[in-house]
Each structure stands twice: as structure tokens, then as C-alpha cells.
């Protein structure tokens, strides 16, 4: 799979967005729902997809496409055969920019929670579930 061609402006915004999301995720309300199964799921994520870790996220990008907005997570590195771009899927854009940004927020929080048991994973609204 070929990575999308991002403009310099999109990539710089993606770097800045990641920093903001990481800061917001670290200050998230710990009263949010934390699924009872997440401990087992986070262990599976750490073992099955070790490159999906907070330190390996390079940028999170939001950009307009025909029919809506795409939200991509760009990794620094990935094993052979794995993409460095994680997205919702071709032809499945979010209807609004706000939905795309919310998806990225929940992704960043989920990855942080998987690698740090002190983090709290919020429940993902059904409208954002893939």
C-alpha cells in the first residue's frame, strides 16, 4: 500500500495536532468509562501490534476528501508488510471535520491507555466506531 501524498502544511498541522491531542489525552477526565475488558485488550495490543505505541505515532492528519474528511495516523516505523498509515479505510470518510478530529482523539487516548495502565479509556461514541 502506498502512503497518501500529504502537503507540507497538512503534515505540519498533523504534528501540531498530535501534540495537542497528547496533552488533552493526558488531562482527560478519569471518570470516563473504562471497559472491564480493556486490560486484556491492551495486553493483546502491546504483544500483537507493538508498533502501535505512543512513541511511534509521528502525526495525526485531518484533510478534506470527496464526500467528507479523512483522519490518518502516521507511524514513524512499522514492520515489513504493515502500513505506516492507519486510517478508517478508503471511501469511508467522516461526514464532518469534527468527527474526524474526535476519532483521532479517541485513538490517541486508546493507544496511551494501552501502554499506560494509569490512563483512562473513554467509551467511543457509536457514530465514530469503524
Amino acid at each position: 500500500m502506498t502512503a497518501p501524498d500529504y502537503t507540507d502544511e497538512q503534515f505540519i498541522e498533523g504534528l501540531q495536532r498530535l501534540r495537542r491531542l497528547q496533552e488533552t489525552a493526558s488531562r482527560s477526565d478519569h471518570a470516563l468509562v473504562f471497559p472491564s475488558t480493556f486490560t486484556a485488550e491492551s495486553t493483546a495490543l502491546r504483544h500483537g501490534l507493538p508498533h502501535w505505541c505512543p512513541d511511534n505515532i509521528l502525526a495525526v492528519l485531518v484533510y478534506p476528501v470527496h464526500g467528507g474528511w479523512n483522519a490518518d495516523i502516521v507511524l514513524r516505523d512499522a514492520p515489513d508488510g504493515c502500513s505506516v498509515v492507519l486510517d478508517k479505510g478508503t471511501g469511508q470518510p467522516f461526514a464532518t471535520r469534527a468527527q474526524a478530529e474526535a476519532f483521532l482523539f479517541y485513538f490517541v487516548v486508546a493507544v496511551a491507555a494501552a501502554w499506560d495502565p494509569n490512563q483512562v479509556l473513554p467509551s467511543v461514541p457509536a457514530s465514530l466506531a469503524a
Side-chain angles (χ1 to χ4, degrees):
M1 174 185 165
T2 337
D5 290 327
Y6 303 115
T7 66
D8 290 344
E9 182 179 332
Q10 286 173 329
F11 205 80
I12 290 169
E13 286 176 4
L15 294 168
Q16 294 168 342
R17 182 177 295 106
L18 176 61
R19 276 197 296 271
R20 285 193 311 271
L21 289 177
Q22 287 172 329
E23 289 172 10
T24 303
S26 70
R27 294 188 313 263
S28 292
D29 182 2
H30 289 249
L32 295 171
V33 177
F34 188 66
S36 59
T37 61
F38 191 68
T39 302
E41 292 165 355
S42 65
T43 302
L45 175 64
R46 287 192 305 267
H47 291 292
L49 298 166
H51 58 290
W52 283 29
C53 65
D55 292 340
N56 197 33
I57 300 174
L58 177 62
V60 291
L61 294 100
V62 173
Y63 54 96
V65 293
H66 180 70
W69 293 84
N70 271 0
D72 294 351
I73 297 97
V74 181
L75 302 176
R76 294 179 193 282
D77 192 27
D80 288 341
C82 294
S83 177
V84 294
V85 177
L86 309 174
D87 59 18
K88 189 175 177 187
T90 305
Q92 301 175 19
F94 291 95
T96 66
R97 182 183 182 105
Q99 285 179 324
E101 296 226 358
F103 169 80
L104 292 173
F105 169 75
Y106 284 107
F107 183 90
V108 169
V109 172
V111 169
W115 289 87
D116 181 359
N118 295 321
Q119 291 286 343
V120 175
L121 179 70
S123 59
V124 177
S127 65
L128 297 177

